[in-house]
C-alpha cells in the first residue's frame, strides 16, 4: 500500500465546502452537532419551526437529519407541491380579490399532502395494488369502528390518483376546486381578466362589481372542504398507522422561493403553521418547517384565532456563537486538509499565528466580519484560501485581499436576501456609501434624512414598505429624534447592518447579539454611537478614523 503524500503548500482546489447545503460536499463529513440539531432530532421537544437568516444553517440541519435517519424521514419540497401554480390560478386570484378567506382550503390541502405522503412512506405504496392492500388491511383492523371506517372513504375518493406524484395530486385537487369556482361564477362573471393578476404590489383591485352576497357565496365554496374527514383520518394516522417503531419526521424546506403572489404565499405558509400545530396530537409524528426570518415576520398570525404565542413557543431560532463557528471551521479544515494531504487539524493551523498588534487574531478578525452565520464564515475562508493558493498558509496579505471580494459579495447577498420583502432595499443601503464606520446620532440622522427623501420619490420601488418607517420623520412639532427615527433605525438594525453602542459600552451590539436592543425610542436614548457592520466596510468604502476605507490599514475600529 502506498503511503499518502503530505503536501506543504495549499492547493488551489482546497475549500472549506459550499455555501449552500445542497451543494456542500463537506456537510456530512464535517457536520457540527449543535443544540439546534439535537432539538430537531428530539421526539419530545416540540420546537419544529426552524427560523433564521439565510445562511444560518437551517437547510444543513434538515439535510443532516434526513441523511442520518432516512428510513424515518420524508422531505416535501414546494417544487413538488406546484405552489406557484396554485397561487397563480385565475380562480384563486379571483377569490382573493373578493376578500374570500381561503384558510380552510389551504389547510385541507396541506393535510391531504401530509396524510398521503406519510401513508405512502409508511406502507411503501407505489401502485394501485399496493394501495388496495393497505386499505383492505386497515379496513379489517378498523371493522369494529364505523367512524374510522368512514374516514378511510376519503382515500377511496382519489381512486387511481393516490400513488401519483405529489404535484399531480395537488394540481388535481386545486383544479377541481377552481372548476367549482368557475362554474359558480359562470353566471356573468368573467375570471379571465384576473388571471395571474387582479392585484398589484399587494393592493387589492376588483375589476367587477361583486357585492356582499357574491362574496358570501364564494366563501361558502371555499369553506366546503373535507376537513371533517381529514381530521378523522388524522386520528387513524395517530392510533392505527404510526407507532413508536414507525416514528416519522416530515421535513419542509425552501419555502422562500419566489412565487407568483407573495401575499398569497404568506397565507399558505401561515396555514401550514396552523396545520403543524394541529398535528401535534399525532404522537409519533414530527413535522419540521424551515423558514427565513424575513418571511416569518410577514406572517399574520392575528388571523389564526389568537394562537400566535403557541406558534412562537414552537420556534427554534438558529443562532451561532463565535466558539461554535470556530468549532465548525475546525472540523471542516480537518476534513478538507486530510482529503488534500495537508497537515492541519484546526483553523488556526492555516491562519497567521499569534495576534497582530492592531488587528488581533486572524480568527477574531474574520468572524467579526461575518453576521455570525456559517455561510459567511465559509465564504470568507474560501476567498482567503483562493488568495493563498501556492503558499504554506494563509497570510494577512491574503486575508486583506480576500476581504475586498468577500465584502462586495456579502453586500449583494444582503440585498438579495431582503429584496423580496423590501423591494429596492439596495438603494437604501447605498445611502451609507462612504459614511464613517462609527456614527454619532447626528451623523446617523443625516443619512436617515436622505433615506426618508428617497422614500418620497416616485421612482423608488420601495415606497409601499418604507412609508410607515419614515412617516414619524415628517411629523411637525416633534423635536425628539429618538421617536422620529426609531422605526428607521430599528429597521437598519434588524437587517444586521447597523449596530449600537450604549452609554458606558465600548463595543457595539448587533441584531445577532440582542434582537430587541432598539425596539423602543426609550432604549435609543442610551445610544452613544452607531456602527456599520464590518462585513460591509470594504464594499461601501466606509471611512475609518476620518479616512476612506483602506483594508491595508492596521486600524480595526470597534
Amino acid at each position: 500500500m502506498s503511503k499518502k503524500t503530505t503536501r506543504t503548500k495549499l492547493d488551489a482546489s482546497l475549500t472549506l465546502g459550499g455555501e449552500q447545503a445542497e451543494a456542500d460536499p463537506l456537510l456530512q463529513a464535517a457536520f457540527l452537532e449543535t443544540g439546534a440539531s439535537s432539538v430537531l432530532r428530539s421526539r419530545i421537544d416540540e420546537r419544529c419551526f426552524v427560523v433564521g437568516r439565510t445562511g444560518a444553517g437551517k437547510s444543513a440541519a434538515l439535510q443532516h437529519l434526513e441523511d442520518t435517519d432516512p428510513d424515518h424521514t420524508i422531505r416535501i419540497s414546494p417544487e413538488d407541491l406546484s405552489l406557484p401554480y396554485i397561487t397563480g390560478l385565475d380562480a384563486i386570484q379571483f377569490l382573493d380579490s373578493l376578500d374570500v378567506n381561503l384558510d380552510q382550503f389551504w389547510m385541507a390541502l396541506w393535510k391531504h399532502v401530509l396524510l398521503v405522503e406519510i401513508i405512502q412512506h409508511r406502507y411503501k405504496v407505489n401502485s394501485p395494488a399496493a394501495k388496495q392492500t393497505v386499505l383492505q388491511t386497515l379496513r379489517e383492523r378498523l371493522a369494529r369502528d364505523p367512524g374510522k371506517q368512514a374516514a378511510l372513504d376519503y382515500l377511496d375518493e382519489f381512486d387511481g390518483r393516490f400513488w401519483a406524484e405529489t404535484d399531480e395530486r395537488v394540481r388535481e385537487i386545486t383544479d377541481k376546486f377552481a372548476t367549482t369556482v368557475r362554474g359558480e361564477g359562470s353566471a356573468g362573471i368573467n375570471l379571465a381578466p384576473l388571471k395571474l393578476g387582479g392585484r398589484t404590489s399587494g393592493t387589492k383591485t376588483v375589476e367587477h362589481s361583486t357585492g356582499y352576497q357574491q362574496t358570501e357565496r364564494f366563501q361558502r365554496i371555499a369553506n366546503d372542504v373535507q376537513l371533517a374527514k381529514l381530521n378523522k383520518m388524522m386520528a387513524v394516522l395517530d392510533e392505527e398507522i404510526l407507532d413508536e417503531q414507525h416514528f416519522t419526521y416530515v421535513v419542509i424546506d425552501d419555502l422562500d422561493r419566489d412565487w407568483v403572489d407573495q401575499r398569497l404565499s404568506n397565507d399558505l405558509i401561515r396555514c401550514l403553521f396552523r396545520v403543524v400545530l394541529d398535528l401535534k396530537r399525532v404522537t409519533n409524528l414530527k413535522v419540521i418547517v424551515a423558514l427565513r426570518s424575513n418571511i416569518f415576520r410577514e406572517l399574520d398570525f392575528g388571523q389564526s384565532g389568537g394562537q400566535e404565542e403557541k406558534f412562537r413557543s414552537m420556534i427554534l431560532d438558529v443562532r451561532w456563537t463565535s466558539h461554535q463557528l470556530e468549532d465548525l471551521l475546525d472540523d471542516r479544515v480537518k476534513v478538507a486538509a486530510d482529503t488534500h494531504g495537508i497537515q492541519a487539524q484546526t483553523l488556526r493551523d492555516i491562519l497567521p499565528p499569534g495576534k497582530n498588534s492592531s488587528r488581533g487574531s486572524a480568527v477574531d478578525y474574520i468572524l467579526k466580519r461575518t453576521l455570525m452565520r456559517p455561510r459567511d464564515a465559509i465564504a470568507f475562508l474560501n476567498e482567503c484560501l483562493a488568495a493563498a493558493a501556492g503558499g504554506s498558509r494563509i497570510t494577512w496579505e491574503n486575508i486583506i485581499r480576500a476581504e475586498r471580494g468577500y465584502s462586495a459579495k456579502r453586500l449583494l447577498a444582503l440585498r438579495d436576501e431582503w429584496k423580496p420583502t423590501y423591494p429596492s432595499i439596495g438603494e437604501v443601503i447605498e445611502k451609507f456609501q462612504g459614511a464613517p464606520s462609527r456614527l454619532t446620532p447626528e451623523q446617523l440622522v443625516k443619512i436617515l434624512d436622505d433615506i426618508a427623501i428617497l422614500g418620497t420619490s416616485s421612482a423608488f420601488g420601495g415606497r409601499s414598505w418604507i412609508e410607515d418607517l419614515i412617516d414619524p420623520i415628517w411629523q411637525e412639532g416633534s423635536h425628539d429624534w429618538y421617536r422620529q427615527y426609531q422605526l428607521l433605525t430599528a429597521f437598519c438594525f434588524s437587517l444586521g447592518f447597523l449596530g449600537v453602542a450604549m452609554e458606558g459600552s465600548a463595543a457595539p451590539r448587533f441584531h445577532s447579539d440582542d434582537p430587541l436592543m432598539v425596539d423602543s425610542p426609550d432604549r435609543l436614548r442610551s445610544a452613544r454611537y452607531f456602527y456599520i457592520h464590518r462585513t460591509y466596510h470594504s464594499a461601501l468604502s466606509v471611512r475609518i478614523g476620518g479616512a476612506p476605507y483602506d483594508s491595508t490599514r492596521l486600524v480595526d475600529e470597534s
Side-chain angles (χ1 to χ4, degrees), residues 37-91:
S37 55
S38 298
V39 167
L40 296 184
R41 190 169 52 250
S42 172
R43 298 185 177 188
I44 58 175
D45 195 309
E46 290 196 343
R47 285 174 289 177
C48 57
F49 299 128
V50 192
V51 177
R53 298 268 316 255
T54 178
K58 304 182 299 298
S59 295
L62 297 188
Q63 185 66 54
H64 181 68
L65 174 64
E66 185 178 10
D67 290 343
T68 54
D69 199 356
D71 293 337
H72 293 267
T73 306
I74 302 169
R75 175 176 287 270
I76 297 177
S77 169
E79 294 177 356
D80 297 333
L81 299 175
S82 298
L83 296 184
Y85 170 81
I86 296 170
T87 56
L89 276 174
D90 56 354

Side-chain angles (χ1 to χ4, degrees), residues 107-121:
M107 291 175 64
L109 191 63
W110 279 120
K111 285 190 175 183
H112 172 81
V113 167
L114 291 168
L115 175 67
V116 175
E117 291 293 325
I118 292 168
I119 292 177
Q120 282 193 339
H121 180 268

Side-chain angles (χ1 to χ4, degrees), residues 153-292:
D153 293 338
Y154 175 83
L155 301 182
D156 274 334
E157 293 176 14
F158 292 92
D159 193 30
R161 308 300 298 169
F162 185 85
W163 64 88
E165 292 296 325
T166 307
D167 63 327
E168 292 181 38
R169 282 186 271 108
V170 170
R171 287 190 183 218
E172 181 184 32
I173 294 172
T174 313
D175 287 343
K176 183 177 179 181
F177 175 69
T179 299
T180 303
V181 172
R182 294 188 188 100
E184 185 71 18
S186 61
I189 298 176
N190 179 21
L191 300 182
L194 289 175
K195 188 172 184 178
L196 300 181
R199 176 189 311 286
T200 302
S201 301
T203 302
K204 291 179 179 293
T205 61
V206 181
E207 298 185 21
H208 306 278
S209 177
T210 58
Y212 176 77
Q213 289 185 344
Q214 180 175 312
T215 299
E216 285 292 293
R217 189 175 70 203
F218 282 108
Q219 184 66 65
R220 286 194 295 272
I221 295 174
N223 291 345
D224 187 22
V225 292
Q226 304 192 55
L227 273 179
K229 286 185 179 180
L230 275 167
N231 289 335
K232 288 181 179 178
M233 272 305 305
M234 293 304 166
V236 174
L237 186 69
D238 180 33
E239 299 168 17
E240 307 294 341
I241 296 176
L242 295 182
D243 52 31
E244 189 173 347
Q245 181 183 353
H246 297 96
F247 187 97
T248 301
Y249 300 98
V250 179
V251 170
I252 304 176
D253 198 2
D254 294 328
L255 287 169
D256 54 357
R257 302 293 173 87
D258 292 336
W259 291 359
V260 173
D261 189 313
Q262 194 65 40
R263 199 191 63 77
L264 264 179
S265 69
N266 286 343
D267 287 347
L268 207 155
I269 294 172
R270 175 176 49 77
C271 288
L272 170 61
F273 273 49
R274 292 180 63 182
V275 167
V276 173
L277 182 64
D278 190 34
L279 290 181
K280 284 295 177 183
R281 56 183 167 157
V282 181
T283 307
N284 292 294
L285 174 67
K286 186 169 187 176
V287 183
I288 303 171
V289 182
L291 198 63
R292 277 202 332 230

Side-chain angles (χ1 to χ4, degrees), residues 470-528:
I470 64 177
D471 183 62
I473 298 175
W474 304 119
Q475 293 179 3
E476 296 182 7
S478 175
H479 301 288
D480 186 346
W481 89 265
Y482 305 98
R483 297 194 177 278
Q484 283 183 282
Y485 295 93
Q486 185 267 330
L487 293 178
L488 197 50
T489 303
F491 171 75
C492 295
F493 178 81
S494 70
L495 300 179
F497 178 81
L498 208 61
V500 183
M502 299 296 188
E503 290 284 355
S505 173
R509 294 181 66 79
F510 288 85
H511 188 268
S512 58
D513 304 311
D514 182 0
L516 302 179
M517 191 168 187
V518 294
D519 62 340
S520 70
D522 290 338
R523 298 196 71 178
L524 270 188
R525 294 179 192 279
S526 301
R528 182 184 178 97

